[in-house]
Amino acid sequence: MRATVMYGAGDVRVETVPDARLIEPTDALVAVTRAAICGSDLWPYKSMEHDETGRRMGHEFVGIVEAVGPEVRTLKAGNVVVTPFVWSDGTCVFCREGLHTSCLHGGRYGWDGVDGGQGEAVRVPQADGTLVVLPVDKDDALMPSLLTLSDVMATGHHAALSAEAGRGKTVAVVGDGAVGLCGVIAARRLGVEQIILLGRYPDRIALAKEFGATDVVSERGDEAVERVHELTNGFGAHSVLECVGLEQATITALRIVRPGGAVGRVGVPQEESIPEGQTTFFDNVTVSGGPSPARAYIEELLPDVLEGRIEPGRVFDRVGPLDDVPDGYRAMNDREALKVLIEF
C-alpha cells in the first residue's frame, strides 16, 4: 500500500510501505477514504532531524472497516468510521474519566509499529474503544465536517471547555488556524455572544466571522493586548482559547484574560515554562487544557454536524489525492492553505 513518510524537515514522500494488517485480536483494519494534514504535522516538517527509516505521518482519518480481530465486538466489516487522533481502550481508569489521551493501553498513530493516517489503510489498535461508527455513506457530503471530529473540531471544543466558555462570557481566540476557527464554532455553540478572534489572514477572518466571531484583532504584542482590553471595557476576556503554542501567543493569551478568568491551552507548547506566572497567580487565573480527549467528544458533537448546526469542514480549503500530500505540507507551511483534505 502507499502512505506518507517524513524523513526530515521539509522532506515528505509518498511511498510503498507494507500493507496494513490485523495483528492483535482487538485490532480493526480500516481502508482510509479521507484524511487530513494537521497543523501539528508542521512542527516536525519545520524541525525534524533526518531519519533514514522515516516516520509515518497522519492521525486524522475516516474510512471503512475491512476486517476486525476476533475480540472486537462493536464493529464489523463495512462500517463507516471516524477515529480520534489517538487510539485508546475505552475501559481504563482514565478513559472512564473522559481522558482518553492518557489511556493506559493507548497510543499514537504512526508510532510503535502502528500505521499513520495519511495512507491507504490503517491497523487501528483497541478498535472497540477507539472507532466511532458514522450513520452515513462513505461519500456523504458531510464527510469533511465529520473528519474534523477526529481532531480540530474536538480540539477547538476542548479549548472552549478548558477556558470555561459559556453564556454571558466574552471569549478571545488566539490563532486563526483550523483549531482556532473551530474554537470560534465551539464558543458560539456554547452560547457565547462576544467572540474576539486574534488573527491576521483575511480569508480566515472572513470564515471566522461566518462561524460567529464578532470582533477581530489583527495587531500583535502590546497592541493586541490593548485592543482586546478596549473591546472588553478594560477588563479582558473571561475565556481565552490559546490555539497556537508559540511563546508570543501564550503571553498574549495570559495578558488578555481578565482576573478570575480562564485560559484553555490546546496549542502544543514550544517552550518548557508558562510565562506571566506572577500576574496570573495574583489575578486568580485558571490555566487549563492539553491534548483534546477527542474520543470523549465525538458522540457529543456528532449530532450537531449531522443536523447541520455546525460546519467545521469548511476549514478545508484544499483537496487533493495522496500524491499531492508533499505539496500540501508545503502549502500549509507557507500559509497558502489553511487545512488540506486528502481523498482516496
Side-chain angles (χ1 to χ4, degrees), residues 190-344:
L190 293 171
V192 178
E193 294 184 357
Q194 184 180 16
I195 303 172
I196 304 166
L197 177 75
L198 281 74
R200 307 183 71 181
Y201 293 90
D203 54 340
R204 302 180 183 192
I205 289 171
L207 187 56
K209 288 181 177 179
E210 293 182 33
F211 285 160
T214 56
D215 303 277
V216 175
V217 172
S218 294
E219 297 88 348
R220 289 187 173 181
D222 291 342
E223 293 180 350
V225 174
E226 181 179 352
R227 181 65 182 134
V228 171
H229 279 85
E230 288 176 359
L231 291 168
T232 57
N233 297 316
F235 297 126
H238 296 90
S239 304
V240 180
L241 284 57
E242 196 287 293
C243 302
V244 181
L246 293 174
E247 182 179 28
Q248 185 57 62
T250 304
I251 291 172
T252 298
L254 294 169
R255 291 181 63 195
I256 63 177
V257 64
R258 66 186 279 156
V263 176
R265 302 174 69 216
V266 296
V268 179
Q270 300 305 300
E271 290 78 29
E272 291 297 323
S273 60
I274 299 177
E276 300 291 326
Q278 290 280 330
T279 302
T280 53
F281 175 80
F282 285 106
D283 280 347
N284 281 283
V285 169
T286 298
V287 180
S288 185
S292 168
R295 184 61 183 82
Y297 299 142
I298 290 175
E299 282 145 333
E300 175 186 349
L301 297 169
L302 182 58
D304 282 1
V305 171
L306 294 174
E307 295 170 21
R309 288 190 291 270
I310 60 174
E311 298 179 278
R314 296 176 64 193
V315 300
F316 291 109
D317 59 349
R318 179 176 293 202
V319 181
L322 183 59
D323 283 335
D324 289 353
V325 166
D327 191 60
Y329 272 81
R330 181 206 57 78
M332 285 180 61
N333 188 62
D334 293 346
R335 299 296 191 269
E336 291 179 11
L338 169 59
K339 190 167 179 66
V340 174
L341 175 66
I342 308 160
E343 292 187 333
F344 293 82

Side-chain angles (χ1 to χ4, degrees), residues 49-68:
E49 294 184 3
H50 180 72
D51 184 337
E52 289 292 336
T53 59
R55 171 178 159 187
R56 298 280 293 279
M57 298 300 296
H59 52 257
E60 302 166 281
F61 62 92
V62 294
I64 301 171
V65 175
E66 288 196 333
V68 297

Side-chain angles (χ1 to χ4, degrees), residues 19-299:
D19 288 344
R21 61 186 179 88
L22 299 176
I23 297 176
E24 301 294 336
T26 52
D27 290 346
L29 179 62
V30 176
V32 178
T33 57
R34 286 173 179 81
I37 300 174
C38 183
S40 65
D41 293 331
L42 299 181
W43 295 121
Y45 185 77
K46 297 174 190 288
S47 61
M48 179 179 167
E49 294 184 3
H50 180 72
D51 184 337
E52 289 292 336
T53 59
R55 171 178 159 187
R56 298 280 293 279
M57 298 300 296
H59 52 257
E60 302 166 281
F61 62 92
V62 294
I64 301 171
V65 175
E66 288 196 333
V68 297
E71 294 183 11
V72 175
R73 298 288 180 262
T74 63
L75 303 159
K76 62 183 180 181
N79 285 155
V80 178
V81 292
V82 61
T83 181
F85 62 88
V86 296
W87 45 272
S88 56
D89 65 14
T91 61
C92 82
V93 59
F94 295 113
C95 288
R96 293 197 303 270
E97 293 173 357
L99 196 61
H100 298 73
T101 47
S102 294
C103 177
L104 296 174
H105 309 108
R108 299 163 59 189
Y109 292 108
W111 296 86
D112 300 321
V114 177
D115 305 287
Q118 292 167 12
E120 293 177 327
V122 177
R123 175 178 73 90
V124 178
Q126 303 291 349
D128 279 331
T130 302
L131 297 172
V132 177
V133 177
L134 298 173
V136 296
D137 182 81
K138 68 181 181 66
D139 294 318
D140 194 282
L142 292 174
M143 272 300 165
S145 286
L146 294 168
L147 175 57
T148 68
L149 299 181
S150 67
D151 191 342
V152 289
M153 185 60 227
T155 298
H157 181 62
H158 186 56
L161 293 182
S162 298
E164 303 175 5
R167 296 185 184 279
K169 294 186 177 181
T170 296
V171 167
V173 179
V174 180
D176 58 5
V179 171
L181 295 176
C182 287
V184 173
I185 295 174
R188 176 62 73 186
R189 179 179 175 276
L190 293 171
V192 178
E193 294 184 357
Q194 184 180 16
I195 303 172
I196 304 166
L197 177 75
L198 281 74
R200 307 183 71 181
Y201 293 90
D203 54 340
R204 302 180 183 192
I205 289 171
L207 187 56
K209 288 181 177 179
E210 293 182 33
F211 285 160
T214 56
D215 303 277
V216 175
V217 172
S218 294
E219 297 88 348
R220 289 187 173 181
D222 291 342
E223 293 180 350
V225 174
E226 181 179 352
R227 181 65 182 134
V228 171
H229 279 85
E230 288 176 359
L231 291 168
T232 57
N233 297 316
F235 297 126
H238 296 90
S239 304
V240 180
L241 284 57
E242 196 287 293
C243 302
V244 181
L246 293 174
E247 182 179 28
Q248 185 57 62
T250 304
I251 291 172
T252 298
L254 294 169
R255 291 181 63 195
I256 63 177
V257 64
R258 66 186 279 156
V263 176
R265 302 174 69 216
V266 296
V268 179
Q270 300 305 300
E271 290 78 29
E272 291 297 323
S273 60
I274 299 177
E276 300 291 326
Q278 290 280 330
T279 302
T280 53
F281 175 80
F282 285 106
D283 280 347
N284 281 283
V285 169
T286 298
V287 180
S288 185
S292 168
R295 184 61 183 82
Y297 299 142
I298 290 175
E299 282 145 333

